């Protein structure tokens, strides 16, 4: 059974986290709980962050696994965590929007490009961070599925 890449169930509004590690674990846990990845994928997400930050600018981080994490991906999927108060991703980079991705095969590249288009506009990011419903968040990402 194939899961939708992004659904309202994959979105968490008004979350509060104290560290980037906690933020990444939470994002990964949504992907695990919704059946996109095996629990081991979370470790690979933390590993990726140690290699190079997943902070992208515009208050956005896109945590994802390392190249060898592909074996832990069951279905391509996205988890979105809204952190209105922000979390420090190091060097004073504050993240208010976490977009966790898991891509089967090379699908992650296409998913990333669609997310990048939405998040390249700071007004979109601020709209997502300020959204009061999961449906409102989904409306920004209509082209992702």
């Amino acid at each position: 059974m194939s899961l939708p890449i992004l659904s309202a169930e994959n979105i968490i509004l008004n979350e509060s986290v104290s560290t980037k590690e906690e933020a990444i674990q939470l994002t990964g846990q949504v992907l695990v709980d919704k059946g996109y990845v095996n629990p081991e994928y979370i470790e690979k997400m933390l590993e990726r962050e140690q290699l190079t930050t997943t902070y992208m600018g515009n208050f956005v981080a896109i945590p994802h696994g390392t190249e060898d994490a592909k074996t832990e991906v069951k279905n391509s999927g996205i988890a979105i965590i809204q952190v209105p108060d922000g979390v420090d991703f190091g060097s004073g980079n504050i993240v208010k929007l976490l977009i966790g991705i898991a891509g089967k095969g090379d699908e992650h590249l296409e998913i990333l490009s669609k997310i990048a288009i939405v998040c390249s506009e700071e007004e979109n990011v601020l709209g997502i961070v300020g959204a009061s419903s999961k449906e409102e968040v989904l409306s920004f990402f209509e082209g992702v599925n």
Side-chain angles (χ1 to χ4, degrees), residues 95-113:
V95 170
K96 295 185 178 193
L97 184 64
L98 292 145
I99 303 174
I101 63 167
K104 197 86 179 130
D106 286 332
E107 287 179 8
H108 68 288
L109 298 173
E110 189 181 332
I111 295 168
L112 262 175
S113 69

Side-chain angles (χ1 to χ4, degrees), residues 4-7 9-12 20-37 41-42 44-46 48-49 54-56 59-66 73 75-83 89 95-104 107-116 119 128 137 141 144-145:
I5 290 174
L6 177 61
S7 70
E9 295 169 5
N10 304 11
I11 299 170
I12 298 178
K20 72 176 177 180
E21 290 77 17
E22 186 183 340
I24 292 167
Q25 286 170 333
L26 174 66
T27 307
Q29 196 58 54
V30 172
L31 292 170
V32 170
D33 292 347
K34 302 302 174 199
Y36 293 99
V37 298
Y41 190 76
I42 297 173
K44 298 296 183 181
M45 291 172 83
L46 291 165
R48 157 69 73 197
E49 191 64 34
T54 55
Y55 174 75
M56 300 294 157
F59 305 110
V60 178
I62 305 180
H64 55 285
T66 55
V73 177
N75 292 284
S76 292
I78 299 174
I80 297 178
I81 316 291
Q82 187 193 64
V83 186
F89 255 60
V95 170
K96 295 185 178 193
L97 184 64
L98 292 145
I99 303 174
I101 63 167
K104 197 86 179 130
E107 287 179 8
H108 68 288
L109 298 173
E110 189 181 332
I111 295 168
L112 262 175
S113 69
K114 290 177 180 176
I115 292 169
C119 295
I128 297 164
V137 172
F141 294 97
V144 173
N145 281 327

